Each structure stands twice: as C-alpha cells, then as structure tokens.
C-alpha cells in the first residue's frame, strides 16, 4: 500500500497475505499491480482493524466482540484478486476440478463476476472432485479433494478473513502448530523443549479421519460465537454441503470438510480450538488439584 497512508502501510500487513505473498512471477505481479498500488483499499483496512481489535481484546482479557458484515469483504474484488495472486502459482492451481475450470481460464472478468454472485447470493459451489492417493509407507489410501479454481478463489478469500479473526485466538492458546502462518512440526518441538526442559517422553497420537468427521452443525455453532454475519456463515455452510464427485458419481457431504480444500485446514483448526481450550483448562485444573494435595 502507499506509504502516505498511515493507517495501513501495505497490503502484506494482513497475516495470511504476509505469509503467502505474491508468486515470484513478474507478469502476474504486473497484472495485479493496480491492486498492490491501491492507496485506500477499504476491505484491507477493515480486516486490519478487526485483527487489531481482537488482539487488543485478548490482551486485555475481555470478551471478543463478534464480527458482522463480512459478506462484502469476501466478495470485494481486492480480496478475490489477492486470493488469485496467492494460489495462481500453486502446483495444483492448473488441476481441473469437477467442472473443469482451472487457473489459466481465470481473469478479472471472472473475478468481477464472482464478486457480484457472492453479493447477490447467487454464487453456487460446485462439487469437489475426490481422488484417492497413496499414503507413504501405508497400504491404505487417503481421499484428496480437487476443487475448481473458482471454488479455490472463494475458499481463499474466506480463509483470509477467518485467519484475520482466529489467528490471534490461536496464538493466545499456542497449542496448535499445524497449517498456521510460520508454524510447523519443528516449531512445535521447539516450544515443547522450551516449556518442558525436563521432559523425557512425548506421546504421538493421530485422529483417524479427522477432516472426514467434522460435524457441520457444531462447526457453524462454533463459528457463530465470533461471527454474526449470517450470509458469510451461510456461504461457508453451503461450501461444506456442496458434495463430492467420486468415480463420476455425486455424493452428498453430510459430514466432514474435504482434504484439499483451501478452507479445510483453518476450519478444522477452528473446530479443534475448542478442544485445545478444554484440554488446557482441564490440565491446569488437574495440576492445581495435584499440587494442593502435595501441600
């Protein structure tokens, strides 16, 4: 953003944008130069304000104020264009989904069309094409969703907004190191070493079919705690219910978030954040009881 704007200096200040950045492609960068140079991008300023407010509320241990009027942000051409820039360079960007639409067929006309469809509540999610891929070192295979590029664009725009709202909350608990900006297994190990220098053992466990068993109703109930924009929530809900196509057959999605969907990691993180809070509070309670018994 223009340095003359004191409130938001550059568009990379949005955490997800800062983490992913623009692809290292001069032609692509030039194509969206008008977005990068916008001196007063309203949706970015709003997202920055939301993020800073939530950080402030968490720091002061006050209730987080629910966020409303998000549908116009997710539909804004600035956000959709940033989403395009993020995923254009991805390896899977040119893989067609169930409708055969891929990145190379996307341009500003389509972005404008998507923007209007989201605003008018006429955007239709297409079913996700599901393929089975081998698990390294295991005989079974895992399902991987291949959404169309239009779906990816909207999913990425949603993810940008969700990360703005929930990343400060994840950071407060600091128990989740998966699919978050600048977080990975190494960071998790470093954190455990720092907090428990005398640790001799560490348990590793896995939730079988984790993404496949996300309850949509519970997910929406969790989201509605901090988001009151019904149209935005409905957009997410319809995406969860869009169905899958496997072996050329359509199936309803009554449960789960599809692996391969750009939204799925953060939706699953939001879903499991409730569990992280429960475990942290329960363990703290048990430790206090244990220490009191020792006295």
């Amino acid at each position: 953003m223009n340095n003359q704007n004191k409130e938001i200096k550059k568009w990379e200040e949005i955490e997800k944008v800062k983490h992913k950045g623009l692809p290292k492609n001069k032609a692509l960068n030039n194509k969206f130069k008008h977005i990068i140079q916008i001196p007063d991008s309203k949706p970015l300023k709003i997202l920055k304000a939301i993020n800073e407010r939530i950080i402030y509320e968490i720091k002061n241990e006050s209730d987080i104020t629910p966020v409303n009027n998000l549908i116009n942000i997710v539909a804004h051409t600035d956000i959709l264009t940033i989403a395009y820039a993020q995923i254009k360079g991805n390896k899977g960007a040119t893989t067609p989904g169930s409708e055969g639409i891929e990145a190379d067929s996307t341009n500003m006309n389509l972005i404008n069309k998507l923007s209007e469809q989201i605003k008018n509540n006429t955007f239709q999610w297409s079913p996700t094409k599901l393929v089975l891929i081998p698990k390294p070192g295991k005989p079974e295979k895992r399902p991987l969703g291949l959404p169309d590029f239009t779906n990816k664009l909207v999913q990425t725009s949603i993810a940008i907004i969700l990360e703005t709202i929930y990343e400060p909350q994840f950071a407060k608990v600091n128990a989740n190191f998966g699919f978050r900006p600048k977080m990975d297994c190494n960071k998790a190990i470093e954190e455990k070493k720092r907090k428990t220098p005398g640790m001799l053992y560490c348990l590793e466990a896995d939730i079988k079919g984790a993404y496949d068993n996300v309850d949509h109703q519970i997910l929406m109930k969790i989201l509605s705690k901090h988001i009151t924009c019904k149209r935005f929530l409905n957009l997410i809900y319809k995406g969860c219910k869009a169905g899958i196509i496997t072996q050329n057959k359509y199936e309803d999605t009554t449960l789960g978030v599809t692996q391969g969907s750009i939204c799925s990691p953060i939706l699953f993180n939001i879903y499991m954040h409730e569990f992280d809070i429960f475990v942290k509070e329960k363990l703290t309670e048990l430790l206090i009881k244990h220490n009191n018994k020792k006295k």
Side-chain angles (χ1 to χ4, degrees):
M1 298 297 293
N2 194 314
N3 286 331
Q4 293 178 350
N5 190 319
K6 300 297 183 182
E7 191 169 353
I8 177 167
K9 294 180 180 179
K10 50 188 178 179
W11 68 282
E12 291 94 336
E13 287 179 355
I14 303 303
E15 190 61 34
K16 189 171 182 68
V17 176
K18 182 169 65 176
H19 176 58
K20 298 282 282 187
L22 277 170
K24 295 179 180 179
N25 182 319
K26 288 184 179 180
L28 183 64
N29 289 349
N30 289 334
K31 184 176 181 181
F32 296 112
K33 190 174 181 181
H34 64 290
I35 292 295
I36 301 170
Q37 300 300 323
I38 289 177
D40 188 25
S41 179
K42 185 177 179 180
L44 293 181
K45 290 178 71 175
I46 292 171
L47 287 180
K48 184 173 186 289
I50 290 170
N51 184 261
E52 289 180 344
R53 172 177 57 74
I54 292 172
I55 291 172
Y56 176 83
E57 289 172 339
I58 289 173
K59 185 179 179 181
N60 288 275
E61 297 184 352
S62 57
D63 292 338
I64 295 172
T65 306
V67 185
N68 200 356
N69 301 322
L70 291 173
I71 197 69
N72 288 329
I73 298 177
V74 75
H76 201 287
T77 54
D78 286 11
I79 301 299
L80 288 167
T81 305
I82 290 170
Y84 181 92
Q86 284 185 13
I87 60 180
K88 168 65 177 176
N90 290 352
K91 186 177 179 181
T94 56
T95 303
S98 61
E99 302 293 332
I101 301 172
E102 56 192 65
D104 292 340
S105 64
T106 307
N107 52 36
M108 284 307 300
N109 289 333
L110 181 53
I111 287 174
N112 289 329
K113 182 181 176 182
L114 277 176
S115 175
E116 289 302 313
Q117 286 177 340
I118 296 170
K119 287 177 185 176
N120 298 331
N121 201 32
T122 57
F123 173 73
Q124 296 290 326
W125 295 96
S126 57
T128 297
K129 183 180 178 182
L130 201 67
V131 296
L132 297 176
I133 60 172
K135 284 187 176 182
K138 295 182 180 180
E140 66 265 24
K141 295 182 178 182
R142 70 179 180 91
L144 178 67
L146 301 176
D148 281 319
F149 195 76
T150 51
N151 279 20
K152 290 179 185 177
L153 269 178
V154 180
Q155 288 169 2
T156 305
S157 297
I158 290 171
I160 288 171
I161 294 169
L162 291 177
E163 192 166 285
T164 299
I165 297 168
Y166 285 95
E167 180 56 32
Q169 300 180 57
F170 297 158
K172 179 189 176 183
V173 177
N174 201 31
N176 178 5
F177 292 81
F179 299 102
R180 288 179 55 206
K182 300 180 182 178
M183 293 292 185
D184 54 24
C185 293
N186 291 325
K187 291 285 185 181
I189 293 169
E190 288 172 11
E191 181 70 7
K192 293 309 168 191
K193 284 182 177 179
R194 185 182 69 82
K195 286 187 174 180
T196 55
M199 180 180 67
L200 299 176
Y201 300 97
C202 185
L203 297 177
E204 181 185 2
D206 183 43
I207 302 174
K208 186 175 181 180
Y211 279 33
D212 299 335
N213 291 289
V214 170
D215 186 295
H216 296 161
Q217 298 298 331
I218 294 175
L219 175 62
M220 300 314 296
K221 186 177 180 180
I222 293 170
L223 287 168
S224 64
K225 288 182 180 180
H226 300 304
I227 298 171
T228 54
C229 181
K230 291 183 179 180
R231 291 180 63 194
F232 180 73
L233 292 173
N234 194 43
L235 182 67
I236 295 173
Y237 184 71
K238 284 183 176 179
C240 292
K241 295 292 187 184
I244 58 172
I245 291 180
T246 176
Q247 296 180 339
N248 295 321
K249 291 182 180 179
Y250 172 84
E251 295 179 18
D252 289 327
T253 44
T254 57
L255 194 68
V257 288
T258 310
Q259 290 198 42
S261 164
I262 293 170
C263 266
S264 292
I266 190 162
L267 287 175
F268 184 72
N269 280 346
I270 292 167
Y271 192 76
M272 290 301 294
H273 183 62
E274 300 289 307
F275 179 70
D276 291 338
I277 294 171
F278 171 78
V279 170
K280 189 171 183 177
E281 290 177 350
K282 194 67 177 177
L283 283 177
T284 302
E285 181 186 324
L286 290 172
L287 285 170
I288 291 172
K289 284 183 179 180
H290 177 72
N291 291 333
N292 288 338
K293 285 182 179 179
K294 275 187 166 183
K295 292 178 180 178

